Each structure stands twice: as C-alpha cells, then as structure tokens.
Amino acid sequence: MSTSPPSAPARTAPSPPTAGWTADVAAALDRLQTPIWIFDIDRSRVVAANRAALATWRAESLEELAARDLGADMSTTVRERLRQYQADFERCETRFSEVWTLYPVGIPTTLRVVFSGHRLADGRMAMLCEALEVMHDTPERLRSAEALQHTAVMISLYDEAGAPLYRNPAARNAVARQGETFADRFVEARDRTDFLRRLAIDGQAEAVVRITGPAGVRWHEVAARACHDAVAGKAATLVSEIDVTGHKMAEDQIRFLAHHDLLTGLPNRALLQIEVGRRLAAAADAGERLALLFIDLDRFKTINDSLGHLHGDRLLVEVARRLMRSVRRDDFVARLGGDEFLICLRLGRAAKRAETVARRILGELDAPITLGGRRLAVSASIGICNFPDDGRDLDTLMRHADLAMYAAKDQGRGRALPFDAALNAEVAAQFELEASLLRAFERDEFELFYQPRVSVADGRIIGAEALLRWHHPTRGLILPGAFIPHAEKTGLIDRIGTEVIHEAALRQRAWADAGHDLTVSINLSARQFRDPRLKTTIAAIVTQTGCDPRRMQIEITESMLVGADATTAETLATLTALGFSIAIDDFGTGYSNLATIQNHPIDTLKIDRSFIATLETRPALAELIIGMCHLLGLRTIAEGVETEEQLSWLRVRNCHEYQGYLFSPAIPADAFDDLLELQRERLAAGGAEGFGEGRSPLWDLIPLVKRPDDVDWDRPEACPSKVRRLGLRSGFGQGIRPKER
Ligand code: C2E
Ligand code: MG
Ligand code: MG
C-alpha cells in the first residue's frame, strides 16, 4: 500500500487465513486482469488475492503472500489511517480511491486502488482492494502524491458550493462527519462569515479559527485559495489546515499570565489599562456613565507581618472572592498589587449604584475570615469616582479614586467616600510641596539645629540632638513635623537622612577636635531604618568623617522594633558593633513593651514630653518609666522640660539627662559652639562650681527663641514661622540677651 514499506521476507507464517472466497469465486477472480485482494487490517496481512494480485505483490502463492507481515515496518500514520478506514467501513457502506505505492519485495509499484469494507467470516472488518491501473508517473508526481498522503497538513478541495471533492488522509481524519461542507467546519458564525467574505473578495483567505473536529473543537490555522478542479475543470477552493491547538493554548496561557494576577486570578494592572480603557471609550460613545472603585484593605501590612505571608496571601484570595461576589458579571474587578483592588462598574440608570456596591463590599468584608485558626475582621477603605463627572481618562479617574480612598482612610477607615474636587486642591498642594522639597534639598535649604542635652545632676551640656530645619525661601523656618512625613512618602528622606547623619558626624568630630566631650544624637525615620543599606551608609560616613561612634547615638521609635525582622536585628547589631548607642525616642507613646526593648541592644530611653508636661497631675507613668530604667540599667532622658518644677522632680528621681525649652530649644551649630565655649570658660573660671545642683549657670545665656508653631501647608502662603533665625555669632558677640520670661 501507498505507504507500506518493502514487505518483509516470509517469517513464520501465522495460522492460515480463514477468510478468502470460495473455490469457484476464486477461479473466476483469478481470470480477471484486475488485481484484487483482501487485507486484514487487524493483522496486517493479505488474506485473499487473485492471480493478478499475486503478480502485483510479486508473490509465489497466497500462502507466501499471507505469510508476509505488512505491518512490520508500517508507519504509525498509515496504521492510524487504516484504523480510520476500518471505522468508516463499520459506520457506512463507503468506498475510497487512492493512489498507493506498494513495495512488494522492496520494488515500488504505484497503483490507483479502490477499496471498500469487507466483513470477514469471523465478523471483523477487513478491506477489499482493487487496483484499477498501474500508474507510471513522473518521480515528482509520485513524490508529491506520497507527500500529500503522509503530511499532517490537512488538504481538501471543495467545489463551488463548498461540498468536498477531495481530502487527503489528514483532512479525512479531521472531519466531524462525512460530507460536511467547508462552511460547516467553522464553530463561530462570525469567523465563517468573515472568512468566506474575504475568500470571495480576494480569492484567498487565512485565519486561525475554531473548527469542529471528530473529537471536539480545535484551533486550526486555515488557508484557502480559489482554484480549479483538475478533473471537472470547474471553480473550486483548495483549503489547507494545520492544527495549532497546542500553540494557541500555550499562547492563551502566556497571555493570561501576562494579564492576570497569579495569586487571585483577577485581571492585573496591564489588563486593567486595556479593559477599562475600552469600557471608557465605549461609555463615551454610548453616552453612558461608569464608576471606578479604588479599594485598599485597612492595616493589611500588620496582618501580613503578624500572620505571615502565607496567611496574608490567603486573605487576599478570600477578599478577591468577596469582591467578585459583590458585583455583577459584566463589572470588572482587578488587583492592582499588594492589598489594592479596582472595580469598574456600569452605572446604568441607578444613580447610586456605586455607593450601593461599595456598601455591599464593606458588608461582605465584615464577615470574619478564619486564618491560621484565628478569626480576623477585615475592613477596607474605598474611593469612588465617576465617569465622566470626575474625569474623562483612565489616569485622571484612577488618581481621583485613589485620592478619595486616602480621604476615606483619613476619616477613620472602613468606609467609602466619593471623590470631591477639594481633594484635588489638597493634592496639588502636596505635589507642590514634594517638588519644593526636592528643590530645597538641591539648593541646600536644610540645616541641622542642635538641642542641648543637659545633665540633670550638674546642669552641664553633655550632648546634642540634631534636629532638622528647613529655611523656606518664602515661608521662613519650617519644622520637621511639617515636611519629614512628605519626604518619607516620596523617598527623599533617604537622601536627606544620609546628609543629616553625615553632617552630625562632622559636627561631632569638630566638637571633639575642639575638646568638647559630647554625645550627638540623630533621629532616623522608619523608612531609613528599614533600608538594608543603612548600615553600610553609616559605616562609610564613620570612615569619611573620622567621627567617634562611641559619642554618637541613633534615636529610633519603639514602633520600628515591633515585628522586627532580620534586617532590623542586623542593622542594630552592626551599629552597636561600630560603637553607636541606640536610644528609644518618645518612649511611652507607642507600645511601651519592655520585652521588645530587652530583646535589642538599647542603651537609652527618652521619656516622651507628654509625660513631662503632665508631671504635676499624673506623675505615675514617668515615675514608673524612670524606676524601670534604673532596674534595667538604661539611661533616661526627659524630653520637653519647660519648668524648673519639672526639672527638680526629675532630679529627685535621678533621671540622667533632660532636654527642653527650660534650658534651650534647638539652635544653629555655631550658636551651639559659642554655648560650649561659654561653658568651658565658666568651668575653667569656677571649676565645677556653679555646675552643681540647680539651674544651669548657662541658663541666662540662651538666645531668645519662641516656641514654633507648625506650618499649615494648605494655607497658600502661611505667615513666616514664629521662630526667628538666630543671629548666629552676632548674638553671642554682643553678649547674649537674657531670656524673655
Ligand atoms: P523628637 O526627636 O522627639 O525631637 C524632639 C522635639 O521636641 C523637637 O521638635 C524639639 O524641638 C521639641 N522640643 C524640644 N524641647 C521642647 C520643649 O521643651 N517643649 C516642646 N513643646 N517641644 C520641645 P522638632 O525639632 O520639631 O522635631 C520634631 C520631630 O521631627 C523630632 O521629634 C523627630 O522625630 C523628627 N526629626 C527631627 N529631625 C529629624 C531628622 O533629621 N530626621 C528624622 N528622620 N526625623 C527628624
Ligand atoms: Mg529625637
Ligand atoms: Mg522625642
């Protein structure tokens, strides 16, 4: 047969064929010129053959031919095709005609064979083959005919009406039912119409479409072109198809991965851009309204940190499920990343639909989620923004929804807020601030002031806390509370913070060189402290400046130690190994957890000024903190000491140091230099005298500085801060004015 390899030499013959024909029929058939034989498909043997067939097969006898195992070297494609024919014969009375090349004893012989089903005596379906003519073709024709038989490409020829004229074996295997037309093959009506229209207009068409095959729907790359049927000479269509289902699925998978969030399976930001962009355009065309809901879980980070990322992930999956449950199928839900989600709603006629859905989401999230054996309540803040009222393009709408979400957080979380134009003004101010912060950094508008740290016991200045100031060109002196949070948000704090450490280190070195033994303390923001590069930065500064790390202190807050990870521990270990001491700032306002403090190399506690301010009415807490520090061997510093009563109270409790307006606010470095010089002079003149108990002898020498107010960024041009820039050396040169009381 076309594909059969050279037949194998006779091996041990199987049991003699049982199905042949009766002797008289055989005699009649033997007289025919046409080679006729019966092929047992299951056993790959010829089981009956007339004389002409024996000649074609170059066999001595039927026994010799029947002994040949024609399946021995048969290719799998041929084997499968034979099986297909067998199945076709079982299904219906049918006959096929094909050009086959047989290889009897290795000699190729090309025949046009007509074959049909033939039931054997034992009931199995075999194949009756008639060789109509021996083809003496050119090698090219032979080979191309062969190729057509073997190729996996499905090739079919259809007449003008779309009825099949020819199918190669691969195409035959791929039809859902006999006699189906070309048009029948398309699964999607739209694909069919498009394809046939293009074929009619251009005479050819190509597409990857869904096709109905015998085992269901597949993706085929279909190419068709108009041609003529070589037999009838009529117009026809030649179609080739390649099964690209595997490809297509891989491609779809890749596209899915690129457009979805792996954790929740929701569309990601990339798909959101495309999909919401499309919805906005469609809504604009149709004059419809949409809403965007920006959803951010409240305190997700805490949950994630305390329960671990695995549970954090589970929580996000559950939240995604609840969000999906709260909307309609044609709404769009995406995960933007982290704990942020975005929903695009069609508003239709229900004006308040966005608010209703937001309420439903908050309700859905209210039901506790059980994770790691704990029942957790989750809440979210939602910002709502409407198209087209609050913005016409995706960027603006997202920004506005985001703003509204932040406003919801500010108002206490767990709520939904619609966007409001006033929010925009706030943000514009914020942008302006961020831009001017960067400018300020580049123009060197920041300056470190130093607040004296004074020994409670003898009134001597024994340290200085570096506190940052911004000389704003129009607003005057600005205090850190008004800009550090913004610098944190934009990341500028990293650069400012490094500058602060560098500057303070240089100052320590300069004071040490001038013979002043002072500890200089530096405040670190949470973001700086979490940065794994911090330890390297600080080590480099120590080398560059030649400062003495044993006279340098790092102030952090308790909250930075909560949930401390490996980086925190490593940073603290490196800093203490370098010689730095660590102080906990604003102690008492945070978690006030002694266990946390004992787990880390902490040297000093700074009692928050709120406890000092309330000493008169509620001294218990300050008393407790000081007592506890003594027990644990920690140094104590009282912050914000403003009255002599407070100071004497601290002295009685053996608090080590204090800072506060009573002695001095933070002052510029050269003012501090002068103060140190005065202290030295006083000490030299009177020995330790005058530096014993009681108010510091330097007290009268502190320059006049009023207590500053915070800057209000929302006021277009706030009145310059009430703090006067100190007159630097001039003030000291002319003798220091007594402090106004
Ligand atoms: P802090 O580290 O607790 O600094 C003490 C704050 O209390 C300073 O405010 C200081 O001026 C103020 N203060 C001192 N004595 C008194 C007093 O007797 N009464 C009152 N009411 N206040 C007093 P300042 O300079 O506005 O700094 C505020 C906060 O900004 C600082 O709090 C610190 O957390 C942060 N900060 C300052 N400089 C830096 C810096 O360079 N980097 C970072 N990351 N944060 C800084
Ligand atoms: Mg501090
Ligand atoms: Mg403090």
Side-chain angles (χ1 to χ4, degrees):
M1 30 200 43
S2 70
T3 36
S4 61
S7 60
R11 295 178 198 152
T12 10
S15 52
T18 52
W21 32 69
T22 54
D24 50 336
V25 173
L29 290 174
D30 273 347
R31 285 204 298 279
L32 291 181
Q33 301 280 303
T34 314
I36 295 173
W37 68 95
I38 295 174
F39 181 68
D40 181 341
I41 299 170
D42 298 326
R43 298 191 175 133
S44 298
R45 310 254 168 191
V46 172
V47 293
N50 68 356
R51 202 181 295 280
L54 290 180
T56 302
W57 281 102
R58 293 167 202 259
E60 294 285 320
S61 63
L62 176 61
E63 287 68 28
E64 192 251 304
L65 177 57
R68 296 183 194 170
D69 177 4
L70 302 183
D73 294 307
M74 194 182 275
S75 72
T76 26
T77 37
V78 172
R79 205 186 304 278
E80 279 167 10
R81 254 168 59 210
L82 289 171
R83 286 273 167 231
Q84 182 62 45
Y85 291 143
Q86 193 179 34
D88 291 345
F89 298 146
E90 287 286 3
R91 233 188 359 248
C92 61
E93 182 103 3
T94 181
R95 62 173 52 226
F96 299 103
S97 165
E98 269 181 9
V99 173
W100 286 0
T101 302
L102 307 178
Y103 298 88
V105 292
I107 302 157
T109 311
T110 305
L111 307 162
R112 169 168 303 285
V113 183
V114 173
F115 48 98
S116 52
H118 179 89
R119 180 122 5 233
L120 297 176
D122 60 7
R124 289 179 305 112
M125 183 57 78
M127 190 159 87
L128 174 68
C129 310
E130 297 167 63
L132 291 188
E133 49 187 317
V134 176
M135 314 276 292
H136 297 287
D137 243 328
T138 59
E140 286 90 305
R141 283 184 76 102
L142 279 178
R143 288 186 179 125
S144 61
E146 273 295 272
L148 202 59
Q149 297 295 313
H150 278 282
T151 179
V153 180
M154 297 153 256
I155 295 175
S156 332
L157 190 71
Y158 294 93
D159 70 11
E160 261 188 306
L165 293 170
Y166 166 79
R167 285 191 175 112
N168 78 339
R172 221 158 22 231
N173 286 341
V175 294
R177 59 182 176 79
Q178 295 296 319
E180 76 174 14
T181 65
F182 180 45
D184 290 341
R185 296 187 59 65
F186 294 85
V187 173
E188 309 289 346
R190 174 124 65 92
D191 287 347
R192 178 187 310 128
T193 328
D194 277 2
F195 197 97
L196 296 180
R197 188 171 41 81
R198 269 186 293 135
L199 184 61
I201 296 171
D202 303 335
Q204 59 179 38
E206 252 182 62
V208 174
V209 291
R210 275 145 50 85
I211 287 291
T212 328
V217 173
R218 310 280 298 173
W219 284 97
H220 281 190
E221 185 180 313
V222 182
R225 60 171 58 234
C227 65
H228 281 86
D229 171 20
V231 177
K234 291 193 184 152
T237 309
L238 182 67
V239 176
S240 66
E241 296 173 38
I242 300 171
D243 190 319
V244 291
T245 311
H247 242 87
K248 187 80 184 155
M249 274 161 45
E251 217 178 88
D252 288 352
Q253 178 76 3
I254 290 168
R255 181 151 348 109
F256 183 87
L257 292 183
H259 282 164
H260 290 79
D261 158 44
L262 286 190
L263 178 66
T264 60
L266 288 180
N268 63 9
R269 213 175 250 279
L271 184 52
L272 172 131
Q273 294 280 344
I274 302 169
E275 181 55 28
V276 180
R278 196 184 62 72
R279 284 172 186 237
L280 288 174
D285 285 349
E288 283 175 358
R289 298 181 329 113
L290 296 176
L292 292 194
L293 268 57
F294 202 116
I295 301 156
D296 187 291
L297 299 187
D298 296 331
R299 299 194 181 87
F300 175 70
K301 200 184 164 314
T302 318
I303 297 179
N304 212 28
D305 287 350
S306 60
L307 287 185
H309 290 259
L310 194 68
H311 287 309
D313 282 358
R314 290 210 188 125
L315 178 80
L316 289 171
V317 172
E318 176 59 22
V319 167
R321 234 164 46 82
R322 294 184 184 194
L323 292 182
M324 291 297 288
R325 239 180 9 219
S326 312
V327 298
R328 287 202 297 244
R329 276 175 70 125
D330 61 343
D331 294 324
F332 179 81
V333 182
R335 180 174 172 217
L336 297 176
D339 59 342
E340 287 179 353
F341 297 85
L342 189 120
I343 297 182
C344 177
L345 296 177
R346 293 186 54 175
L347 288 182
R349 249 163 285 138
K352 291 274 167 208
R353 170 148 196 256
E355 283 74 11
T356 315
V357 171
R359 258 199 313 280
R360 194 178 309 140
I361 291 172
L362 293 174
E364 280 279 356
L365 293 180
D366 262 350
I369 298 177
T370 309
L371 280 179
R374 277 201 252 170
R375 275 157 65 84
L376 285 179
V378 185
S379 76
S381 301
I382 305 180
I384 304 172
C385 173
N386 290 306
F387 168 85
D389 306 353
D390 300 331
R392 304 196 132 261
D393 60 284
L394 181 59
D395 253 20
T396 312
L397 287 163
M398 296 250 301
R399 209 158 29 79
H400 287 177
D402 189 33
L403 281 179
M405 184 277 289
Y406 271 108
K409 283 226 189 281
D410 281 348
Q411 292 194 11
R413 308 170 204 240
R415 68 194 63 217
L417 271 193
F419 170 74
D420 169 343
L423 291 174
N424 231 355
E426 238 172 71
V427 171
Q430 161 102 24
F431 273 148
E432 194 224 285
L433 168 61
E434 281 161 14
S436 53
L437 264 178
L438 187 61
R439 257 197 321 270
F441 184 67
E442 282 158 357
R443 291 182 190 165
D444 236 358
E445 290 172 8
F446 292 111
E447 185 183 353
L448 270 189
F449 276 29
Y450 294 88
Q451 182 176 38
R453 289 169 49 167
V454 184
S455 157
V456 171
D458 61 13
R460 224 185 281 201
I461 302 172
I462 52 173
E465 175 175 9
L467 292 165
L468 195 58
R469 301 292 181 258
W470 175 11
H471 298 291
H472 193 283
T474 52
R475 294 176 193 270
L477 194 80
I478 297 177
L479 296 179
F483 63 85
I484 291 230
H486 299 283
E488 271 237 335
K489 226 191 255 171
T490 56
L492 189 61
I493 192 70
D494 295 336
R495 293 166 69 191
I496 297 178
T498 306
E499 204 48 48
V500 165
I501 304 168
H502 190 256
E503 186 64 37
L506 279 177
R507 184 59 55 192
Q508 189 281 330
R509 169 77 200 263
W511 282 331
D513 287 350
H516 301 297
D517 184 14
L518 289 187
T519 297
V520 176
S521 64
I522 311 160
N523 294 282
L524 287 192
S525 79
R527 182 180 168 128
Q528 271 178 288
F529 187 65
R530 273 199 313 268
D531 187 344
R533 292 167 302 182
L534 177 73
K535 46 186 193 298
T536 338
T537 308
I538 293 189
I541 289 176
V542 171
T543 320
Q544 282 163 21
T545 59
C547 71
D548 179 0
R550 286 163 309 156
R551 289 290 176 273
M552 303 279 296
Q553 189 164 66
I554 303 284
E555 296 189 12
I556 57 175
T557 57
E558 278 181 279
S559 59
M560 301 189 203
L561 291 180
V562 174
D565 52 9
T567 314
T568 311
E570 223 179 287
T571 302
L572 286 176
T574 315
L575 292 181
T576 44
L578 280 170
F580 286 84
S581 59
I582 313 288
I584 299 294
D585 205 351
D586 306 336
F587 187 78
T589 55
Y591 301 80
S592 309
N593 185 336
L594 272 183
T596 316
I597 289 177
Q598 277 184 294
N599 286 339
H600 297 285
I602 307 301
D603 179 83
T604 303
L605 289 196
K606 299 186 75 173
I607 307 168
D608 189 68
R609 68 162 188 260
S610 57
F611 297 103
I612 306 302
T614 52
L615 271 187
E616 224 174 294
T617 49
R618 283 184 286 129
L621 269 176
E623 181 128 39
L624 188 74
I625 295 173
I626 295 174
M628 189 182 82
C629 284
H630 285 310
L631 276 177
L632 296 176
L634 294 168
R635 271 186 85 73
T636 40
I637 304 183
E639 297 187 290
V641 177
E642 293 184 354
T643 67
E644 291 191 55
E645 291 70 32
Q646 290 164 348
L647 181 58
S648 3
W649 188 94
L650 291 166
R651 190 174 296 119
V652 172
R653 268 92 193 161
N654 290 322
C655 177
H656 301 107
E657 290 176 43
Y658 78 94
Q659 284 175 243
Y661 295 165
L662 174 66
F663 183 75
S664 165
I667 53 176
D670 31 15
F672 207 106
D673 281 348
D674 292 345
L675 202 53
L676 290 175
E677 283 310 321
L678 285 168
Q679 168 162 288
R680 199 204 313 261
E681 280 167 24
R682 294 260 169 133
L683 279 168
E689 204 186 311
F691 274 89
E693 288 199 354
R695 176 215 270 180
S696 168
L698 296 170
W699 192 82
D700 287 339
L701 307 178
I702 299 305
L704 164 74
V705 179
K706 280 193 190 145
R707 186 176 158 175
D709 278 348
D710 264 358
V711 177
D712 180 2
W713 290 111
D714 295 337
R715 265 187 283 157
E717 189 79 344
C719 357
S721 157
K722 287 181 199 149
V723 176
R724 204 156 36 78
R725 245 185 116 175
L726 291 170
L728 303 183
R729 264 168 203 290
S730 55
F732 284 93
Q734 294 154 11
I736 293 158
R737 274 175 285 161
K739 189 168 174 166
E740 240 176 36
R741 300 227 74 194

